Amino acid sequence: MFLKHISFFLVLLGFLLTSCAENITEARDTPAPVPGNQSPNLMRALFSQIQDSVFTPSCALSGCHSGAVFPNLSAGQAYGNIVDQPSSLGDYIEPGDAMASYLYLKIIDDPAISGARMPRNAAPLSQAKLDSIEQWIEAGALNN
């Protein structure tokens, strides 16, 4: 009798799980996609989102770009330190031209740029984050 109840319970549980499968969603490590963008995981191409999702957790760390190494990418400092600001090989961020933006070339590990890919000693940024940064730059690198 006990085995019959267990079997019934397992069948019922299986039915419930399969009938709800289309409603189960996975958590994303990036914000919700922006309607009309090409990549389904593309985070919003706003400077505030890039600051919160990229610069603060991946760059503005102790010993990195939190003030010890230029440019300072800490919240409240990053935008003024990178947009239209010269680096050794052009502006860190050249509004409207990602491929002329030194910082963008460093994070995509462009072979024309010497030195280590950024963020250094960490996993590369996700394609969704790279796409969002590129889109933000191409759209004029607004402080939004």
Side-chain angles (χ1 to χ4, degrees):
M1 186 69 163
F2 177 73
L3 193 53
K4 188 185 262 187
H5 289 294
I6 293 290
S7 297
F8 175 75
F9 175 74
L10 290 176
V11 169
L12 181 62
L13 181 62
F15 174 76
L16 290 173
L17 288 176
T18 57
S19 66
C20 297
E22 69 272 2
N23 295 325
I24 298 172
T25 58
E26 293 182 32
R28 296 178 188 243
D29 69 340
T30 58
V34 178
N37 287 330
Q38 306 84 348
S39 173
N41 292 322
L42 188 66
M43 63 184 210
R44 294 182 72 67
L46 301 173
F47 180 74
S48 58
Q49 283 291 88
I50 293 166
Q51 180 69 55
D52 293 344
S53 300
V54 179
F55 295 152
T56 297
S58 302
C59 310
L61 306 170
S62 178
C64 292
H65 296 285
S66 64
V69 176
F70 193 82
N72 182 346
L73 296 177
S74 300
Q77 301 294 313
Y79 189 86
N81 286 328
I82 59 173
V83 177
D84 283 326
Q85 295 300 312
S87 74
S88 58
L89 296 171
D91 287 351
Y92 282 100
I93 297 295
E94 179 64 42
D97 192 352
M99 295 310 291
S101 298
Y102 178 74
L103 185 140
Y104 181 72
L105 297 174
K106 287 294 280 186
I107 62 175
I108 65 168
D109 202 18
D110 188 286
I113 303 296
S114 64
R117 173 200 43 82
M118 295 291 154
R120 185 176 294 175
N121 300 323
L125 297 176
S126 70
Q127 189 61 50
K129 289 178 181 179
L130 294 173
D131 291 346
S132 295
I133 294 168
E134 179 182 24
Q135 183 182 5
W136 169 71
I137 295 169
E138 293 294 332
L142 302 175
N143 190 2
N144 52 6

